[in-house]
């Protein structure tokens, strides 16, 4: 967590972070359109929100209520300042998950699941906060053979299926080039059955 705290003040100025969040949001919009869902009036949990680069786009696209969750106090402080400055009355920040009966429409997890001690267990906990018909979407780096960080396609597929999500799809979410470095994170998507 201290590494994230140390990065918080400059995070929003990082070109790769900004480009990643825009590309992730564009891939989310495609998934929502394919599922005939919209952000207009939606309740969303942005799990691993950091400074809120994705939260900003969710709000601008019409999400009515966003609960932005992160364990880094410094990252949340940056987001809290944005919330206050921009008058976002529908955005709340938290260092922990909200109550189970929240019934949100969408959960997004951007580059956080690979850092969790119990990734499959966390997915189950998160899905408990989704309403029937709600959507779970995550982006994480694909772990190559011999790497220690990231998740494999099978790990994501198994975790989403074990959380009783249906229509599970795991694929490259987007491809984006930042100064010659190509970002190609996996995107895992699942629907909570009605």
């Amino acid at each position: 967590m201290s590494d994230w705290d140390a990065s918080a003040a400059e995070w929003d100025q990082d070109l790769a972070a900004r480009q990643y969040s825009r590309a992730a949001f564009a891939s989310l919009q495609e998934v929502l359109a394919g599922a005939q869902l919209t952000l207009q009036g939606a309740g969303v949990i942005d799990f691993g929100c950091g400074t809120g680069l994705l939260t900003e786009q969710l709000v601008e696209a019409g999400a009515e209520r966003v609960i932005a969750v992160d364990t880094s106090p410094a990252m949340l402080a940056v987001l809290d300042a944005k919330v206050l400055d921009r008058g976002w009355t529908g955005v709340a920040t938290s260092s922990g998950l909200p109550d189970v009966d929240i019934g949100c429409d969408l959960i997004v997890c951007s580059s956080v699941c690979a850092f969790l001690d119990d990734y499959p267990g966390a997915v189950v906990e998160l899905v408990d906060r989704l309403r029937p018909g709600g959507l779970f979407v995550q982006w994480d780096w694909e772990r190559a053979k011999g790497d220690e960080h990231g998740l494999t396609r099978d790990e994501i597929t198994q975790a989403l299926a074990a959380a009783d999500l249906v229509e599970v799809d795991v694929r490259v979410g987007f491809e984006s080039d930042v100064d010659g470095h190509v970002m190609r994170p996996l995107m895992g998507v699942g629907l909570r059955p009605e």
Side-chain angles (χ1 to χ4, degrees):
M1 185 169 38
S2 61
D3 289 342
W4 297 113
D5 284 341
S7 302
E10 305 300 322
W11 191 257
D12 285 6
Q13 286 71 48
D14 183 270
L15 176 62
R18 288 195 327 270
Q19 193 161 327
Y20 183 102
S21 72
R22 285 192 301 269
F25 185 74
S27 67
L28 173 63
Q29 291 285 63
E30 290 175 17
V31 167
L32 290 170
Q36 299 181 343
L37 298 172
T38 179
L39 284 169
Q40 196 63 45
V44 183
I45 295 176
D46 183 356
F47 183 74
C49 64
T51 61
L53 290 173
L54 191 55
T55 298
E56 293 175 32
Q57 296 172 88
L58 294 166
V59 171
E60 289 167 7
E64 185 174 289
R65 180 176 41 109
V66 179
I67 300 172
V69 179
D70 205 287
T71 57
S72 166
M75 290 277 189
L76 286 179
V78 171
L79 180 51
D80 283 334
K82 288 181 195 179
V83 170
L84 185 61
D85 182 56
R86 298 174 190 184
W88 290 338
T89 57
V91 177
T93 62
S94 177
S95 60
L97 288 176
D99 292 338
V100 172
D101 62 358
I102 189 167
C104 68
D105 303 292
L106 173 68
I107 294 175
V108 292
C109 309
S110 181
S111 292
V112 65
C113 292
F115 294 100
L116 300 173
D117 291 334
D118 179 10
Y119 162 58
V123 173
V124 169
E125 281 192 60
L126 286 162
V127 169
D128 281 346
R129 277 115 181 119
L130 269 180
R131 66 165 177 78
L135 195 66
F136 177 92
V137 182
Q138 76 175 83
W139 299 267
D140 276 283
W141 302 111
E142 185 168 14
R143 187 175 69 238
K145 200 170 196 171
D147 285 351
E148 292 183 16
H149 183 70
L151 294 169
T152 66
R153 292 171 193 240
D154 285 345
E155 286 172 321
I156 296 171
T157 300
Q158 290 169 13
L160 273 55
D164 295 326
L165 293 173
V166 297
E167 298 181 34
V168 171
D169 182 29
V170 180
R171 64 180 182 271
V172 172
F174 60 85
E175 188 169 302
S176 183
D177 187 312
V178 179
D179 295 330
H181 175 72
V182 178
M183 297 184 286
R184 298 182 76 241
L186 293 176
M187 178 169 60
V189 179
L191 193 69
R192 185 168 186 180
E194 294 281 355

